[in-house]
Amino acid sequence: MKKYSLLIAALLITYMSAFANVSLPSFFSDNMVLQRNSEVKLWGWASPFEEITIKPSWTDKEYKVTPGNDAYWEILVKTTEAGGPYTVNIKGYNEFSLKNVMLGEVWFCSGQSNMEWTASSGIDNAEAEIAKGNYPNIRFFAAPKLSSPYPQMNVPGEWKICTPETMKYFSAIGYFFAERLQKELKNIPIGIINSSWGGSPAEIWIPETYVNSNPVMASAAAKLSAMSWSPIESGRTYNTMIHPFVGYKIAGVLWYQGESNVGSDVYDTTLGGLIKSWREAWKEEFPFYYVQIASYKYEGGNYQGVTIRDAQRKVLNQVAKTAMVVINDISTTEDIHPRNKKPVAERLANLALSNTYGLNKGMVNGPLFKDLKTDNTKIILNFNYADGLHFKGKTSTQFEIAGEDGIFYEAQPKIVNNTVVLTSKKVKKPVHARYAWLNIAVADVFNSVGLPMSSFKTE
């Protein structure tokens, strides 16, 4: 009996010791990247009222924090200029160190399969790109696919150093973005967190309460059809693949999604809601850069894909600190997963380099519809980012105009001082215009730096 009592006592001591140990979410670990020149939040769990000391090696300062009766603690720690490797020593009843920690730039990637897509899945020049993917100062964290009706506090995973092997199985968009940033920012460490799920609709990445609070978003969510490859219930992946990271200091977000919302006519409200809900959660208006979905031959109609592209364009005017990459010139209409990920990521990187880091990268946006003027039998279209506006060939066959009846006819375009003047013998008094208004439309109008015009329909 005594033997069993001693065994039980030993087990109780082990049990109590385990619960006394300071613990952290998985993404506070060896090889992590923390945002430079900022206050980063660290958090975790320990015994209630246990004094915890945190000592980062980039400073002489010690930080002390005590969990409340819920065993949770958090603290803000100041970071310095980019550099490393550093250690972060953490001491409570137990003591451990996070090693090979870098201070640099952290970007959060999310979306569906085109963001998730890896070099191992097949990209252009895959073998050569994999072979040279050796960047010790680029670090990856990939969240596994998980869903739950309840917000989670942690997510499995670990930071990995970029090598040909780790790069091969990480988001190609995330990798090429990091590669470009590191080159332009002179080898500053780059951390990329990827939290993506192929085939997922936007609603599952938004808190359920946020979706339900907006009648337009809630109605769109209720219309989603069941999928075999992804959950469709609002908030399910937000709870498991976004919520655990909330508070981790980031430079910004990269988003590539929309194909699974094809058919929606309110995607601008949905995407705008996603951006706002994440910023509210983080309590920070970080930059949000996203990719307009590619031209693709969708089944069952000619316009459901371009409607999403136009909705993505509209978000630029509805939500601050956003920017969009247009890719209707570098994709194939036969594959919903364009394999040339590098130019897509580099266009995203140019947005960040220009808008976030203030580097002069010239014009980094394709022409975007601004407004129109009617002049008897013609429409004059004005654009932002239209310097050097030109047709790919002799002309464009993708502009259309309509009168008050809303019936569109092909228009004859003429470029005049970076505006486009449209006329048609079939429309005597035009009031509406659209461009590349077809799922499979490929760009044929560009600006001086070779970036394509986004499809649009005048509001």
Side-chain angles (χ1 to χ4, degrees):
M1 187 72 180
K2 184 178 180 181
K3 179 179 178 182
Y4 288 114
S5 298
L6 290 173
L7 177 60
I8 292 170
L11 288 172
L12 283 171
I13 291 170
T14 302
Y15 178 85
M16 293 172 66
S17 298
F19 273 78
N21 285 346
V22 180
S23 61
L24 306 170
S26 64
F27 38 81
F28 294 126
S29 65
D30 293 351
N31 305 320
M32 70 178 174
V33 181
L34 295 175
Q35 185 66 30
R36 60 174 172 158
N37 294 327
S38 62
E39 281 193 330
V40 301
K41 185 170 80 169
L42 304 180
W43 68 89
W45 305 272
S47 289
F49 315 115
E50 170 186 358
E51 184 176 85
I52 300 165
T53 302
I54 299 172
K55 180 66 177 70
S57 68
W58 59 80
T59 178
D60 292 332
K61 184 175 180 180
E62 284 188 347
Y63 295 83
K64 294 184 183 295
V65 63
T66 303
N69 59 7
D70 60 354
Y72 175 79
W73 61 266
E74 64 179 48
I75 192 168
L76 293 176
V77 174
K78 287 188 177 181
T79 57
T80 58
E81 290 287 348
Y86 296 109
T87 60
V88 179
N89 184 259
I90 299 173
K91 183 178 181 180
Y93 294 148
N94 60 319
E95 184 174 3
F96 59 95
S97 291
L98 309 180
K99 303 177 181 65
N100 199 21
V101 175
M102 308 300 286
L103 303 184
E105 293 295 308
V106 182
W107 285 82
F108 193 92
C109 299
S110 189
Q112 57 180 108
S113 54
N114 275 307
M115 181 62 84
E116 183 184 1
W117 204 260
T118 67
S120 66
S121 302
I123 60 171
D124 287 355
N125 306 310
E127 187 174 337
E129 295 292 355
I130 291 169
K132 71 182 185 70
N134 189 22
Y135 295 96
N137 282 347
I138 294 177
R139 310 292 174 84
F140 302 137
F141 187 100
K145 295 177 183 177
L146 297 168
S147 70
S148 172
Y150 308 107
Q152 303 297 300
M153 295 297 291
N154 201 357
V155 58
E158 61 181 342
W159 283 94
K160 295 182 179 180
I161 297 171
C162 177
T163 66
E165 186 64 19
T166 59
M167 168 269 182
K168 182 179 180 180
Y169 299 105
F170 191 74
S171 163
I173 293 287
Y175 163 73
F176 287 126
F177 177 86
E179 183 186 43
R180 171 78 170 166
L181 250 59
Q182 189 168 85
K183 177 182 177 182
E184 295 291 333
L185 298 178
K186 310 304 181 187
N187 205 37
I188 282 175
I190 307 294
I192 303 289
I193 299 170
N194 180 41
S195 193
S196 305
W197 189 320
S200 58
E203 288 83 356
I204 72 173
W205 298 100
I206 308 172
E208 183 178 12
T209 53
Y210 198 97
V211 173
N212 292 339
S213 69
N214 184 305
V216 174
M217 292 171 61
S219 177
K223 295 175 184 176
L224 291 171
S225 300
M227 302 175 182
S228 59
W229 50 84
S230 161
I232 61 166
E233 297 84 3
S234 298
R236 289 306 193 264
T237 52
Y238 174 86
N239 289 338
T240 51
M241 300 174 69
I242 304 298
H243 184 268
F245 296 100
V246 169
Y248 196 102
K249 185 72 173 180
I250 57 176
V253 169
L254 307 179
W255 174 258
Y256 192 168
Q257 190 275 342
E259 294 90 348
S260 289
N261 284 91
V262 161
S264 171
D265 57 1
V266 294
Y267 184 75
D268 55 326
T269 300
T270 301
L271 178 56
L274 181 145
I275 299 167
K276 293 172 186 176
S277 70
W278 288 17
R279 287 174 173 174
E280 286 182 13
W282 259 268
K283 297 181 174 60
E284 186 173 353
E285 194 177 52
F286 43 69
F288 193 101
Y289 303 140
Y290 57 96
V291 182
Q292 188 182 63
I293 63 172
S295 303
Y296 178 67
K297 191 175 182 178
Y298 291 95
E299 295 181 0
N302 295 320
Y303 306 114
Q304 68 270 50
V306 71
T307 299
I308 295 295
R309 295 202 296 273
D310 198 43
Q312 291 172 315
R313 179 189 65 85
K314 290 178 182 178
V315 170
L316 298 171
N317 297 320
Q318 298 170 0
V319 185
K321 295 183 72 173
T322 57
M324 179 181 74
V325 166
V326 179
I327 61 169
N328 58 1
D329 64 321
I330 58 174
S331 59
T332 170
T333 62
E334 302 299 324
D335 191 348
I336 202 169
H337 301 118
R339 305 307 170 98
N340 41 358
K341 300 299 186 191
K342 190 169 188 175
V344 179
E346 289 184 335
R347 290 180 185 182
L348 282 168
N350 283 337
L351 291 176
L353 291 166
S354 178
N355 299 341
T356 303
Y357 300 109
L359 299 183
N360 183 7
K361 307 311 295 180
M363 195 153 44
V364 294
N365 295 277
L368 292 170
F369 170 70
K370 182 180 179 182
D371 57 36
L372 66 78
K373 296 178 182 178
T374 58
D375 185 3
N376 295 322
T377 61
K378 60 186 177 183
I379 281 181
I380 302 169
L381 301 174
N382 295 301
F383 300 88
N384 294 315
Y385 317 113
D387 289 351
L389 200 67
H390 64 277
F391 301 130
K392 182 177 182 179
K394 292 182 179 180
T395 188
S396 169
T397 61
Q398 300 195 62
F399 286 97
E400 300 170 277
I401 56 177
E404 292 288 357
D405 60 6
I407 300 174
F408 282 90
Y409 297 91
E410 184 178 336
Q412 287 69 54
K414 184 178 181 181
I415 294 176
V416 180
N417 296 326
N418 295 326
T419 67
V420 176
V421 180
L422 301 177
T423 58
S424 172
K425 293 180 180 179
K426 295 182 179 181
V427 184
K428 293 182 179 180
K429 291 186 178 181
V431 293
H432 305 291
R434 64 190 189 187
Y435 165 73
W437 198 258
L438 199 65
N439 289 342
I440 60 172
V442 177
D444 61 4
V445 184
F446 297 81
N447 60 19
S448 61
V449 296
L451 292 174
M453 179 181 289
S454 170
S455 53
F456 68 89
K457 182 167 65 174
T458 59
E459 286 79 19

